[in-house]
Amino acid sequence: MQKLLLLGAEAIAQGAIDGGMSGVYAYPGTPSTEITEYVQHYDLAKERNIHSQWSANEKTAMEAGLGMSYAGKRAMVCMKHVGLNVAADAFINSAITGSNGGLLVTVADDPSMHSSQNEQDSRYYGKFAQIPILEPASQQEAYDMAYFGFQLSEKFSIPVMIRITTRLAHSRAGVERKPLLDQNELILPSNPTQFVLLPSIARKQYKGLLNSFAGFIEDSEESPFNHYFEGTDKKLGIIACGLAYNYLMENYSETELTHPLLKIGQYPMPRAKVEKLMKECDEVLILEDGYPIIEELLKGYLGKEKVHGRLDGSLPRDGELNPNLIAKALKLASEEEVTEISEDVKDIVKNRPPAMCVGCGHIDAYNALNEALSDYGVGRVFSDIGCYTLGALPPYNAINSCVDMGASITMAKGAADAGLVPAVSVIGDSTFTHSGMTGLIDAVNESSPITVMISDNFTTGMTGGQDSAALGKIEDICKGIGVDPEHIIVFTPLKKNHDEMVAIMKKELAYKGVSVIIPRRQCIQTTKNVALNERIRELNLR
C-alpha cells in the first residue's frame, strides 16, 4: 500500500477518510487544527464530497457530527482539550443516545500548555461519558485508530474518543495506508426513539450504555492496540500509555527492555492484562502523558500498591513527558545527566515567545484603547482567547484577563455590575460568534454599562487563518441582539487614524449602556488568501 509522510493530526484525517468518513466538524484549536485543514485541502476528500467547513464552536460541531451519525454516515468531530469543555453537554449526552453511523470524537490535549490555558486530560471526559477511548503511540497508530475507530463505534453503536497530545499531533512519520472504504449509505436509526432523550427513554438508553460496558472491556482485552510484552526482570513492570510508549522505547533503541511491559492504546483498561502485570512484578511504573489516571486507579485512596509515577514524584506532576524524564524514572540516567541533555536542547531550540505580528491591526487598536482609558486607570479590560490576548504582554499591557472563550463580555458585565465602570471587553470576530453572543444578550438585557471591542480581522487568526463564522455579519448580529445602532461603531485600526480612534473610544467609554466598537482590518497573515479576499470584496468590508 501507499506510504505517506504525515503529521499525527494528518494521519488521523487520512485514516478517517480511508475509513469511509462522510464529514468532519470542528472549530480550530491548536493542536487539533491540522486534522480538518488536511481534509479541506485533500483532493480525494473533495471527490468524495466529504463535509469539512468550520463550525461556529465545538458544541455546534459535536451536535452536527451527531446529526450526520444519526443519518447513518460516518462522522468525526475534532477539537482541542479545552474545546471539549464547550462541547461537554452534547458530548456526554451523545454517550446516552449512542450513534448510528460511526462517530469519532478526536480531542487533542496539550500537556505543558504550549498554546493553551490548562493541560487537562481528556481521558477523564471519556471515562466520565463511559465510552471507549483510543490513544495512539505513533503516527501509524493514529491512522489505524481513525480507520478502525469507525468500526468500533458501529460495533457498539457508541461514539468513540481518540485522544492525542501535541507532540504526536505535530511530528511526522511514515504512515502506510489501508484500502479505501466506501462511505455508508443514508440510513435512519432502527430504533426511532434512540435519539429522543425524554427521561423515560434516557433511563433505558443509560441502562443500555451500562450494559455495553462489559463489551467495551472485552474488546479492549483483545484490542491490537493493547499488548503485553513479557520480560525477565520482574522487579519492575511498566505500563505505558499512548505516546509515552514511544518515549519509553527511545531509551531502549540499542538495548533490550527486560521488564514486563503493558502498552495501552485502548480504554477501558484491559483488566486481565493489568492484573497479570501487577501479580508478576514487585513494583510498577506508570507512564502516561497527562493526568495520573491509571496510577491513581491502581494505587487507590490509601496508596497501598507499589505503583510509581507522577503521584510519588518518580515523574513530574505537570508538563508533557519525554524520553529523558522516563530515563530518570527508570534510573537509566541521573538528575545531572538529564539536566545536561536538557541544556544541550536549549542551545539548539531557541525559546520564541509569542507576539503580535508586525503591522497587526490589534496593535493600533490597543494603542488607542490604552490612551482612551488613561483617565480611568488600569485593570478594566477583559479579554478573550485569540491573537489579541498577546496584548497582555509588554509594551502594550492592554488587557487584564484571559480565561476562556466568551468570558470577556460576561466578565466585563460582572465587573460593571460590581461598580467597575467603564469596563471593557475585547473579543475577536470568530470568538464572538463562538461564544460571545450569549454574553452580549445578557449585557443588553440589563443595559450594562460596558464597551465591547470586537476586533474584526475576517478570520480565526491565532490558529492559522481559518474561516470566521462572523464574516460580514457582526453589525447585524449586534443589532439583532438589541445593541443600539448608534453605539455600534466601525473604524479602521491604522496608526494614521489614532486620534480619531481615541476620540471614538472615549465617547463610548462615557456611554452608560452597551456599546460595540469594531476595529476592522484584515489579518496580515491572510492577505494572500484569494478566496477570502474575493469574499471580503463581495461583502464590501473594506
Side-chain angles (χ1 to χ4, degrees):
M1 294 299 293
Q2 183 186 27
K3 198 164 188 178
L4 303 172
L5 183 64
L6 298 174
L7 296 174
E10 296 171 340
I12 287 174
Q14 185 71 56
I17 292 168
D18 291 346
M21 179 176 69
S22 295
V24 60
Y25 295 88
Y27 182 81
T30 305
S32 69
T33 309
E34 290 83 357
I35 301 171
T36 302
E37 287 188 330
Y38 187 85
V39 181
Q40 290 174 333
H41 299 125
Y42 192 34
D43 288 341
L44 178 61
K46 294 173 184 171
E47 291 171 13
R48 291 169 71 92
N49 196 30
I50 296 174
H51 174 278
S52 61
Q53 291 186 11
W54 295 105
S55 302
N57 64 39
E58 295 83 357
K59 181 173 180 289
T60 64
M62 183 69 221
E63 291 159 348
L66 189 61
M68 178 169 277
S69 169
Y70 170 91
K73 300 276 188 173
R74 291 171 172 162
M76 181 161 65
V77 184
C78 305
M79 63 198 76
K80 66 181 299 179
H81 57 310
V82 291
L84 188 52
N85 299 336
V86 179
D89 197 7
F91 172 71
I92 298 297
N93 286 344
S94 74
I96 309 298
T97 65
S99 57
N100 188 24
L103 180 58
L104 299 182
V105 183
T106 299
V107 188
D109 290 356
D110 188 19
S112 281
M113 291 177 269
H114 296 285
S115 59
S116 306
Q117 310 95 294
N118 68 41
E119 58 177 46
Q120 67 190 53
D121 191 322
S122 296
R123 291 179 300 169
Y124 268 119
Y125 262 118
K127 189 172 185 294
F128 183 37
Q130 305 182 82
I131 63 172
I133 307 167
L134 301 174
E135 187 182 19
S138 65
Q139 286 76 4
Q140 183 65 58
E141 276 200 349
Y143 173 92
D144 294 343
M145 288 179 175
Y147 188 91
F148 289 116
F150 287 126
Q151 297 167 36
L152 177 61
S153 174
E154 290 172 0
K155 178 179 179 180
F156 291 103
S157 297
I158 193 77
V160 171
M161 172 186 281
I162 298 179
R163 184 245 187 180
I164 58 172
T165 54
T166 305
R167 198 64 56 178
L168 178 60
H170 286 172
S171 58
R172 292 186 186 276
V175 172
E176 187 170 344
R177 291 180 65 186
K178 300 182 185 301
L180 181 64
L181 301 181
D182 291 335
Q183 295 181 34
N184 285 353
E185 296 294 328
L186 192 69
I187 182 169
L188 297 180
S190 56
N191 175 3
T193 64
Q194 178 185 340
F195 288 82
V196 185
L197 292 188
L198 289 168
S200 60
I201 299 172
R203 283 191 286 270
K204 293 179 183 176
Q205 294 283 116
Y206 184 56
K207 284 184 183 295
L209 173 64
L210 297 178
N211 291 336
S212 296
F213 205 75
F216 300 165
I217 296 175
E218 185 179 345
D219 196 86
S220 180
E221 271 315 332
E222 303 301 324
S223 170
F225 304 120
N226 293 333
H227 190 78
Y228 194 99
F229 298 89
E230 300 289 349
T232 55
D233 185 353
K234 298 183 179 178
K235 292 179 181 175
L236 181 71
I238 301 172
I239 295 177
C241 309
L243 187 58
Y245 169 76
N246 217 331
Y247 294 149
L248 171 67
M249 299 315 295
E250 280 195 35
N251 282 283
Y252 293 95
S253 58
E254 297 179 358
T255 59
E256 181 185 1
L257 173 62
T258 56
H259 300 297
L261 165 66
L262 173 56
K263 171 185 174 293
I264 293 182
Q266 180 172 336
Y267 305 79
M269 286 196 299
R271 187 180 184 95
K273 289 183 172 63
V274 172
E275 288 178 344
K276 173 179 167 67
L277 188 80
M278 297 297 291
K279 186 176 180 181
E280 285 187 345
C281 300
D282 297 339
E283 298 183 350
V284 173
L285 176 65
I286 312 289
L287 306 176
E288 46 190 335
D289 214 357
Y291 289 177
I293 295 177
I294 294 178
E295 183 183 351
E296 197 169 54
L297 181 66
L298 296 186
K299 290 182 84 163
Y301 185 74
L302 299 177
K304 286 184 175 179
E305 299 291 346
K306 294 180 179 178
V307 174
H308 307 286
R310 288 185 182 271
L311 289 175
D312 74 341
S314 297
L315 292 160
R317 182 64 181 82
D318 64 331
E320 65 179 337
L321 297 180
N322 61 46
N324 295 340
L325 292 173
I326 290 177
K328 182 186 168 191
L330 289 166
K331 298 181 174 55
L332 298 175
S334 66
E335 177 79 41
E336 291 74 20
E337 288 170 320
V338 170
T339 303
E340 287 173 8
I341 294 171
S342 299
E343 291 300 322
D344 290 342
V345 172
K346 285 180 181 177
D347 288 339
I348 299 170
V349 184
K350 296 295 183 185
N351 189 23
R352 293 177 296 168
M356 283 190 279
C357 303
V358 175
C360 173
H362 298 327
I363 295 173
D364 296 306
Y366 274 142
N367 286 337
L369 181 63
N370 280 345
E371 184 171 333
L373 279 169
S374 59
D375 293 339
Y376 297 100
V378 298
R380 298 171 176 274
V381 183
F382 303 88
S383 174
D384 239 287
I385 308 293
C387 295
Y388 39 86
T389 308
L390 301 173
L393 303 173
Y396 317 109
N397 301 314
I399 65 170
N400 308 107
S401 75
C402 171
V403 178
D404 60 53
M405 299 282 269
S408 63
I409 297 177
T410 41
M411 286 187 70
K413 180 189 179 299
D417 291 343
L420 187 70
V421 179
V424 180
S425 160
V426 178
I427 189 168
D429 50 319
S430 180
T431 310
F432 176 64
T433 46
H434 177 284
S435 49
M437 294 189 297
T438 48
L440 187 60
I441 292 173
D442 283 351
V444 168
N445 285 344
E446 298 189 39
S447 297
S448 301
I450 65 171
T451 303
V452 179
M453 186 167 89
I454 305 176
S455 282
D456 183 9
N457 62 3
F458 308 146
T459 192
T460 313
M462 180 164 265
T463 46
Q466 294 79 21
D467 294 343
S468 166
L471 187 65
K473 302 181 178 71
I474 295 176
E475 292 95 310
D476 288 342
I477 291 171
C478 293
K479 290 175 188 173
I481 287 173
V483 179
D484 183 345
E486 290 188 8
H487 292 280
I488 301 174
I489 315 294
V490 182
F491 57 74
T492 304
L494 286 169
K495 195 172 183 179
K496 66 179 183 180
N497 298 335
H498 179 80
D499 291 343
E500 176 192 355
M501 292 189 292
V502 172
I504 291 171
M505 289 178 176
K506 282 186 174 180
K507 180 181 177 183
E508 295 307 312
L509 289 171
Y511 174 59
K512 303 304 182 190
V514 179
S515 70
V516 174
I517 55 178
I518 306 171
R520 172 167 291 153
R521 189 170 131 206
Q522 185 174 2
C523 171
I524 62 171
Q525 297 293 342
T526 66
T527 53
K528 295 183 180 179
N529 185 328
V530 176
L532 176 61
N533 287 331
E534 185 175 339
R535 187 74 179 128
I536 291 171
R537 278 193 293 274
E538 288 175 357
L539 295 169
N540 196 27
L541 291 174
R542 70 156 93 94

